[in-house]
Amino acid sequence: MCGIFLASLPLGRPFVLDRLLDNIIHRGPDDSGVFVSEDGTSHLGHVRLSIVDLSSAAHQPMADASGRFIISYNGEVYNYRELKRSLENTYGTINWKSTSDTEVIVEGFAREGIGFFSRLNGIFALGIFDSYTRSLHILRDPLGIKPLFYTRQNGCSFFCSELKGLLAIPLLSRTLRRQSLADQLAFMYVPEPYTLFEEFVKVVPGVCITYREGERVASSNVFDHLVAPIAFSSENDIIERFYSTFSASVKRQLVSDVPVSLMLSGGLDSSAVAHEVVSCGGNVKDAYTISYSAADSSLDQQSDDLFYARLIAKRLGLELKVIPAQANFIDLLPGLSKFLEDGISDPAAINTYLICEAARNSGVKVMLTGQGADEFLGGYRRYSAERMIASVPGFLGVPFKFAGSLLPESLPGRFNALNRRIKRLLHLAGQNRRQRLLGMYIWNVPEKISRLFLSPDSVEIGEDLMKLFDDFGYHDVVDTMMRVDQKYDLTSLNLTYTDRMSMANGVEARVPFLDFELVRLMNSIPSKVKMKHGEPKYVLKKAMEAHLPRQIVYREKAGFGLPIRAWMRNENEMFRYYFDIDRIRNQGIFDPNALYGMYKENLAGKGDHSNVLFSMLCIQVWLDSQSCLTTN
């Protein structure tokens, strides 16, 4: 796992890459390198985190044996050994100079071109320069697990694993994108391909794009086979094939020449990964989790992760390393802002940072997570909520909405989470389907979010999300919701903060549920089986019943976050500074009176605005760190 920097420039355009790599050195503290083409039109930079083949033979940028192709690559290809054997069986003996997956990619590309990419199974972003055609080929994995940012300015095309690398290039324009601020307040993230700047976007996953002298000259979809349907003979066939494919994916992702560990919440997903790691004999000795106080958890529907994490760790013989959550974790935001650079304000990012920091301090460079199961197997509560509401006669909508308005904004103690869910469900039941679906994805009503801006009409709340629903169609709304979540919550949020926070500590995070073979299988399972009898993740639960305690398999879903509701109910110096009325007014973006009113309402328990306010806090911290910023 590493960081890359790529540039495609017009002839005669001067450019120096070396110093720019310093901005992403945390992604690859073990080594670095730069390649410049003879004509100066292509530049490839690399910082290396050594995971497979720790020797200098795996140094990048790396050339193939002929010297024609040069690669700079960030990621891990889990099936590289199989590909290596296949290449030799097809083309004869290859004089390998390393045991790295990087060399397999560039040698495979040298023999089969872009078509070779479709054989990869892993997490990656890469650039390969062809010295004969003077072309630079760019590719990001089809699920967007690994990041790649892009900007085209002044006739030049630049790419980097992190936005900060591009922002360090002299004389590039950067204009604040206000719609992205609205999206962050609505969702806690900025949906792909956008960033917080108009001029910078993220590369589209799964499409190989070719550049020559700064111009895009060709593109090709590489991974269409991941949506090719698989036929099943029965429900038992689905469950058996799911389990065998999942087990194989976990085993495949244990490939490493450095220590590996686990993120373990005690939920079904991370517990399933942990079980398979131990079952296949993986050399994993420990796992990491976050714990919360009972008082903090009372407002945030946080179940006792620690109890379940300890239960599964003891069962599997893993040493559990516990990080206690404390209110002053919010004080970490200014330091983390330089890594949460494209509009992330999910408190789970802080969790991930602290876990990866502790793991790296213990010598761990690789961690396995349970991400991806919810979006592909029907794990989110909103799927069940939509099915339930859609079955209710329309004339009951208004009474339901009125009943919801009678419930209090919050309750003391352990019933608060249940009260909040019922209140929201009743409110959604009183809306039409379009309003209801949007309401299931955003953290407050659209009008309250837009009114936080001095010019409310300058932003749209959720329009891109609803366009995606329209594009996918509504023939099976739950299936459509999962597809939307794969682009929104999975790629734009969960995978994004996991990459940022793990790589901030020089740790590679792997996601076995997003193994390409498993993704193709999950894509083929009908949603009615994924949520049979309304049971979320039915297939995964049935597959793991024989392997995990029932209380783990059928445990109520709990979010991987921090107790933000409890923390946002207490004033502190950080809130007073960043929400200061004069400070907000001088920015000229947000309405200070609307923000102050929402903040006071939240403190008094008259409204639940914690997530929007936390996003606003993250935005203010980020804005404070910016210089040379133009607003439109």
Side-chain angles (χ1 to χ4, degrees), residues 582-603:
D582 291 334
R583 187 178 180 282
I584 298 296
R585 182 181 293 115
N586 291 336
Q587 284 176 351
I589 301 172
F590 300 106
D591 183 334
N593 294 318
L595 173 58
Y596 186 74
M598 181 179 285
Y599 179 51
K600 286 300 183 183
E601 193 173 279
N602 192 78
L603 287 177

PDB file of all heavy atoms in Angstrom, residues 582-603:
ATOM      1  N   ASP A 582     -19.670  36.236  15.069  1.00  0.00           N
ATOM      2  CA  ASP A 582     -18.868  37.163  14.256  1.00  0.00           C
ATOM      3  C   ASP A 582     -17.952  36.395  13.303  1.00  0.00           C
ATOM      4  O   ASP A 582     -17.750  36.811  12.151  1.00  0.00           O
ATOM      5  CB  ASP A 582     -18.038  38.076  15.157  1.00  0.00           C
ATOM      6  CG  ASP A 582     -18.902  39.071  15.920  1.00  0.00           C
ATOM      7  OD1 ASP A 582     -20.002  39.390  15.431  1.00  0.00           O
ATOM      8  OD2 ASP A 582     -18.477  39.503  17.015  1.00  0.00           O
ATOM      9  N   ARG A 583     -17.420  35.302  13.781  1.00  0.00           N
ATOM     10  CA  ARG A 583     -16.526  34.488  12.940  1.00  0.00           C
ATOM     11  C   ARG A 583     -17.292  33.935  11.731  1.00  0.00           C
ATOM     12  O   ARG A 583     -16.819  33.989  10.593  1.00  0.00           O
ATOM     13  CB  ARG A 583     -15.953  33.347  13.784  1.00  0.00           C
ATOM     14  CG  ARG A 583     -14.886  32.525  13.109  1.00  0.00           C
ATOM     15  CD  ARG A 583     -14.369  31.458  14.080  1.00  0.00           C
ATOM     16  NE  ARG A 583     -13.337  30.674  13.433  1.00  0.00           N
ATOM     17  CZ  ARG A 583     -13.573  29.712  12.554  1.00  0.00           C
ATOM     18  NH1 ARG A 583     -14.821  29.432  12.220  1.00  0.00           N
ATOM     19  NH2 ARG A 583     -12.590  29.050  11.994  1.00  0.00           N
ATOM     20  N   ILE A 584     -18.479  33.395  11.986  1.00  0.00           N
ATOM     21  CA  ILE A 584     -19.301  32.837  10.908  1.00  0.00           C
ATOM     22  C   ILE A 584     -19.723  33.942   9.936  1.00  0.00           C
ATOM     23  O   ILE A 584     -19.703  33.752   8.716  1.00  0.00           O
ATOM     24  CB  ILE A 584     -20.548  32.133  11.490  1.00  0.00           C
ATOM     25  CG1 ILE A 584     -20.144  30.962  12.398  1.00  0.00           C
ATOM     26  CG2 ILE A 584     -21.470  31.654  10.376  1.00  0.00           C
ATOM     27  CD1 ILE A 584     -19.418  29.846  11.690  1.00  0.00           C
ATOM     28  N   ARG A 585     -20.091  35.105  10.466  1.00  0.00           N
ATOM     29  CA  ARG A 585     -20.528  36.213   9.615  1.00  0.00           C
ATOM     30  C   ARG A 585     -19.399  36.662   8.684  1.00  0.00           C
ATOM     31  O   ARG A 585     -19.630  36.947   7.492  1.00  0.00           O
ATOM     32  CB  ARG A 585     -21.008  37.369  10.481  1.00  0.00           C
ATOM     33  CG  ARG A 585     -21.523  38.558   9.670  1.00  0.00           C
ATOM     34  CD  ARG A 585     -21.979  39.696  10.566  1.00  0.00           C
ATOM     35  NE  ARG A 585     -23.162  39.320  11.338  1.00  0.00           N
ATOM     36  CZ  ARG A 585     -23.198  39.199  12.648  1.00  0.00           C
ATOM     37  NH1 ARG A 585     -22.085  39.421  13.359  1.00  0.00           N
ATOM     38  NH2 ARG A 585     -24.309  38.865  13.272  1.00  0.00           N
ATOM     39  N   ASN A 586     -18.188  36.716   9.192  1.00  0.00           N
ATOM     40  CA  ASN A 586     -17.053  37.182   8.390  1.00  0.00           C
ATOM     41  C   ASN A 586     -16.708  36.216   7.248  1.00  0.00           C
ATOM     42  O   ASN A 586     -16.123  36.629   6.246  1.00  0.00           O
ATOM     43  CB  ASN A 586     -15.826  37.386   9.282  1.00  0.00           C
ATOM     44  CG  ASN A 586     -15.991  38.567  10.222  1.00  0.00           C
ATOM     45  OD1 ASN A 586     -16.765  39.489   9.946  1.00  0.00           O
ATOM     46  ND2 ASN A 586     -15.271  38.556  11.335  1.00  0.00           N
ATOM     47  N   GLN A 587     -17.070  34.959   7.391  1.00  0.00           N
ATOM     48  CA  GLN A 587     -16.814  34.002   6.302  1.00  0.00           C
ATOM     49  C   GLN A 587     -17.668  34.303   5.081  1.00  0.00           C
ATOM     50  O   GLN A 587     -17.261  34.044   3.949  1.00  0.00           O
ATOM     51  CB  GLN A 587     -17.119  32.573   6.770  1.00  0.00           C
ATOM     52  CG  GLN A 587     -16.083  31.964   7.675  1.00  0.00           C
ATOM     53  CD  GLN A 587     -16.510  30.591   8.165  1.00  0.00           C
ATOM     54  OE1 GLN A 587     -17.651  30.169   7.957  1.00  0.00           O
ATOM     55  NE2 GLN A 587     -15.603  29.904   8.825  1.00  0.00           N
ATOM     56  N   GLY A 588     -18.883  34.765   5.312  1.00  0.00           N
ATOM     57  CA  GLY A 588     -19.763  35.093   4.209  1.00  0.00           C
ATOM     58  C   GLY A 588     -20.377  33.892   3.513  1.00  0.00           C
ATOM     59  O   GLY A 588     -20.792  33.993   2.346  1.00  0.00           O
ATOM     60  N   ILE A 589     -20.457  32.750   4.189  1.00  0.00           N
ATOM     61  CA  ILE A 589     -21.016  31.538   3.593  1.00  0.00           C
ATOM     62  C   ILE A 589     -22.289  31.118   4.311  1.00  0.00           C
ATOM     63  O   ILE A 589     -23.327  30.880   3.679  1.00  0.00           O
ATOM     64  CB  ILE A 589     -19.991  30.385   3.651  1.00  0.00           C
ATOM     65  CG1 ILE A 589     -18.719  30.754   2.909  1.00  0.00           C
ATOM     66  CG2 ILE A 589     -20.608  29.095   3.078  1.00  0.00           C
ATOM     67  CD1 ILE A 589     -17.588  29.749   3.091  1.00  0.00           C
ATOM     68  N   PHE A 590     -22.234  31.047   5.635  1.00  0.00           N
ATOM     69  CA  PHE A 590     -23.345  30.544   6.433  1.00  0.00           C
ATOM     70  C   PHE A 590     -24.066  31.678   7.165  1.00  0.00           C
ATOM     71  O   PHE A 590     -23.480  32.724   7.448  1.00  0.00           O
ATOM     72  CB  PHE A 590     -22.838  29.514   7.451  1.00  0.00           C
ATOM     73  CG  PHE A 590     -22.176  28.323   6.823  1.00  0.00           C
ATOM     74  CD1 PHE A 590     -20.794  28.175   6.859  1.00  0.00           C
ATOM     75  CD2 PHE A 590     -22.928  27.349   6.178  1.00  0.00           C
ATOM     76  CE1 PHE A 590     -20.174  27.085   6.277  1.00  0.00           C
ATOM     77  CE2 PHE A 590     -22.323  26.253   5.585  1.00  0.00           C
ATOM     78  CZ  PHE A 590     -20.941  26.117   5.632  1.00  0.00           C
ATOM     79  N   ASP A 591     -25.332  31.424   7.478  1.00  0.00           N
ATOM     80  CA  ASP A 591     -26.138  32.373   8.236  1.00  0.00           C
ATOM     81  C   ASP A 591     -25.852  32.160   9.725  1.00  0.00           C
ATOM     82  O   ASP A 591     -26.243  31.132  10.288  1.00  0.00           O
ATOM     83  CB  ASP A 591     -27.618  32.135   7.937  1.00  0.00           C
ATOM     84  CG  ASP A 591     -28.537  33.134   8.643  1.00  0.00           C
ATOM     85  OD1 ASP A 591     -28.137  33.671   9.699  1.00  0.00           O
ATOM     86  OD2 ASP A 591     -29.653  33.356   8.159  1.00  0.00           O
ATOM     87  N   PRO A 592     -25.180  33.093  10.387  1.00  0.00           N
ATOM     88  CA  PRO A 592     -24.791  32.875  11.786  1.00  0.00           C
ATOM     89  C   PRO A 592     -25.988  32.732  12.718  1.00  0.00           C
ATOM     90  O   PRO A 592     -25.939  31.976  13.687  1.00  0.00           O
ATOM     91  CB  PRO A 592     -23.965  34.115  12.131  1.00  0.00           C
ATOM     92  CG  PRO A 592     -24.362  35.146  11.129  1.00  0.00           C
ATOM     93  CD  PRO A 592     -24.724  34.409   9.885  1.00  0.00           C
ATOM     94  N   ASN A 593     -27.085  33.417  12.417  1.00  0.00           N
ATOM     95  CA  ASN A 593     -28.255  33.331  13.285  1.00  0.00           C
ATOM     96  C   ASN A 593     -28.924  31.962  13.171  1.00  0.00           C
ATOM     97  O   ASN A 593     -29.360  31.394  14.177  1.00  0.00           O
ATOM     98  CB  ASN A 593     -29.247  34.441  12.934  1.00  0.00           C
ATOM     99  CG  ASN A 593     -28.689  35.823  13.234  1.00  0.00           C
ATOM    100  OD1 ASN A 593     -28.053  36.049  14.263  1.00  0.00           O
ATOM    101  ND2 ASN A 593     -28.890  36.750  12.311  1.00  0.00           N
ATOM    102  N   ALA A 594     -28.995  31.426  11.952  1.00  0.00           N
ATOM    103  CA  ALA A 594     -29.581  30.102  11.766  1.00  0.00           C
ATOM    104  C   ALA A 594     -28.724  29.036  12.455  1.00  0.00           C
ATOM    105  O   ALA A 594     -29.253  28.119  13.101  1.00  0.00           O
ATOM    106  CB  ALA A 594     -29.725  29.795  10.281  1.00  0.00           C
ATOM    107  N   LEU A 595     -27.414  29.167  12.327  1.00  0.00           N
ATOM    108  CA  LEU A 595     -26.521  28.209  12.968  1.00  0.00           C
ATOM    109  C   LEU A 595     -26.617  28.305  14.486  1.00  0.00           C
ATOM    110  O   LEU A 595     -26.724  27.277  15.178  1.00  0.00           O
ATOM    111  CB  LEU A 595     -25.074  28.446  12.515  1.00  0.00           C
ATOM    112  CG  LEU A 595     -23.999  27.616  13.223  1.00  0.00           C
ATOM    113  CD1 LEU A 595     -24.263  26.120  13.077  1.00  0.00           C
ATOM    114  CD2 LEU A 595     -22.605  27.969  12.692  1.00  0.00           C
ATOM    115  N   TYR A 596     -26.600  29.522  15.016  1.00  0.00           N
ATOM    116  CA  TYR A 596     -26.661  29.696  16.465  1.00  0.00           C
ATOM    117  C   TYR A 596     -27.985  29.159  17.016  1.00  0.00           C
ATOM    118  O   TYR A 596     -28.024  28.526  18.079  1.00  0.00           O
ATOM    119  CB  TYR A 596     -26.505  31.177  16.812  1.00  0.00           C
ATOM    120  CG  TYR A 596     -26.422  31.438  18.295  1.00  0.00           C
ATOM    121  CD1 TYR A 596     -25.268  31.126  19.010  1.00  0.00           C
ATOM    122  CD2 TYR A 596     -27.497  32.011  18.987  1.00  0.00           C
ATOM    123  CE1 TYR A 596     -25.195  31.361  20.381  1.00  0.00           C
ATOM    124  CE2 TYR A 596     -27.424  32.250  20.351  1.00  0.00           C
ATOM    125  CZ  TYR A 596     -26.273  31.922  21.043  1.00  0.00           C
ATOM    126  OH  TYR A 596     -26.196  32.139  22.389  1.00  0.00           O
ATOM    127  N   GLY A 597     -29.074  29.395  16.284  1.00  0.00           N
ATOM    128  CA  GLY A 597     -30.363  28.888  16.723  1.00  0.00           C
ATOM    129  C   GLY A 597     -30.404  27.374  16.766  1.00  0.00           C
ATOM    130  O   GLY A 597     -30.933  26.776  17.720  1.00  0.00           O
ATOM    131  N   MET A 598     -29.836  26.729  15.756  1.00  0.00           N
ATOM    132  CA  MET A 598     -29.801  25.266  15.733  1.00  0.00           C
ATOM    133  C   MET A 598     -28.932  24.739  16.863  1.00  0.00           C
ATOM    134  O   MET A 598     -29.274  23.748  17.527  1.00  0.00           O
ATOM    135  CB  MET A 598     -29.266  24.770  14.385  1.00  0.00           C
ATOM    136  CG  MET A 598     -29.209  23.254  14.260  1.00  0.00           C
ATOM    137  SD  MET A 598     -28.596  22.677  12.643  1.00  0.00           S
ATOM    138  CE  MET A 598     -30.021  22.982  11.609  1.00  0.00           C
ATOM    139  N   TYR A 599     -27.813  25.404  17.113  1.00  0.00           N
ATOM    140  CA  TYR A 599     -26.896  24.979  18.166  1.00  0.00           C
ATOM    141  C   TYR A 599     -27.564  25.066  19.537  1.00  0.00           C
ATOM    142  O   TYR A 599     -27.497  24.125  20.351  1.00  0.00           O
ATOM    143  CB  TYR A 599     -25.643  25.852  18.107  1.00  0.00           C
ATOM    144  CG  TYR A 599     -24.603  25.548  19.168  1.00  0.00           C
ATOM    145  CD1 TYR A 599     -24.147  24.248  19.381  1.00  0.00           C
ATOM    146  CD2 TYR A 599     -24.078  26.572  19.950  1.00  0.00           C
ATOM    147  CE1 TYR A 599     -23.193  23.982  20.349  1.00  0.00           C
ATOM    148  CE2 TYR A 599     -23.121  26.316  20.927  1.00  0.00           C
ATOM    149  CZ  TYR A 599     -22.691  25.019  21.112  1.00  0.00           C
ATOM    150  OH  TYR A 599     -21.744  24.751  22.074  1.00  0.00           O
ATOM    151  N   LYS A 600     -28.240  26.170  19.816  1.00  0.00           N
ATOM    152  CA  LYS A 600     -28.908  26.352  21.114  1.00  0.00           C
ATOM    153  C   LYS A 600     -30.066  25.367  21.269  1.00  0.00           C
ATOM    154  O   LYS A 600     -30.314  24.846  22.369  1.00  0.00           O
ATOM    155  CB  LYS A 600     -29.405  27.795  21.257  1.00  0.00           C
ATOM    156  CG  LYS A 600     -28.287  28.797  21.527  1.00  0.00           C
ATOM    157  CD  LYS A 600     -27.561  28.458  22.834  1.00  0.00           C
ATOM    158  CE  LYS A 600     -26.503  29.465  23.182  1.00  0.00           C
ATOM    159  NZ  LYS A 600     -25.752  29.102  24.427  1.00  0.00           N
ATOM    160  N   GLU A 601     -30.788  25.125  20.202  1.00  0.00           N
ATOM    161  CA  GLU A 601     -31.896  24.168  20.238  1.00  0.00           C
ATOM    162  C   GLU A 601     -31.386  22.776  20.566  1.00  0.00           C
ATOM    163  O   GLU A 601     -32.007  22.026  21.334  1.00  0.00           O
ATOM    164  CB  GLU A 601     -32.602  24.173  18.876  1.00  0.00           C
ATOM    165  CG  GLU A 601     -33.947  23.479  18.869  1.00  0.00           C
ATOM    166  CD  GLU A 601     -34.668  23.656  17.543  1.00  0.00           C
ATOM    167  OE1 GLU A 601     -35.290  24.713  17.346  1.00  0.00           O
ATOM    168  OE2 GLU A 601     -34.597  22.739  16.699  1.00  0.00           O
ATOM    169  N   ASN A 602     -30.226  22.425  20.017  1.00  0.00           N
ATOM    170  CA  ASN A 602     -29.644  21.115  20.293  1.00  0.00           C
ATOM    171  C   ASN A 602     -29.180  21.013  21.740  1.00  0.00           C
ATOM    172  O   ASN A 602     -29.399  19.992  22.408  1.00  0.00           O
ATOM    173  CB  ASN A 602     -28.467  20.864  19.341  1.00  0.00           C
ATOM    174  CG  ASN A 602     -27.996  19.420  19.349  1.00  0.00           C
ATOM    175  OD1 ASN A 602     -28.604  18.555  18.747  1.00  0.00           O
ATOM    176  ND2 ASN A 602     -26.894  19.147  20.047  1.00  0.00           N
ATOM    177  N   LEU A 603     -28.559  22.066  22.253  1.00  0.00           N
ATOM    178  CA  LEU A 603     -28.087  22.057  23.642  1.00  0.00           C
ATOM    179  C   LEU A 603     -29.245  21.897  24.620  1.00  0.00           C
ATOM    180  O   LEU A 603     -29.120  21.218  25.642  1.00  0.00           O
ATOM    181  CB  LEU A 603     -27.337  23.360  23.953  1.00  0.00           C
ATOM    182  CG  LEU A 603     -25.939  23.536  23.352  1.00  0.00           C
ATOM    183  CD1 LEU A 603     -25.394  24.912  23.698  1.00  0.00           C
ATOM    184  CD2 LEU A 603     -24.989  22.452  23.845  1.00  0.00           C
TER     185      LEU A 603
END
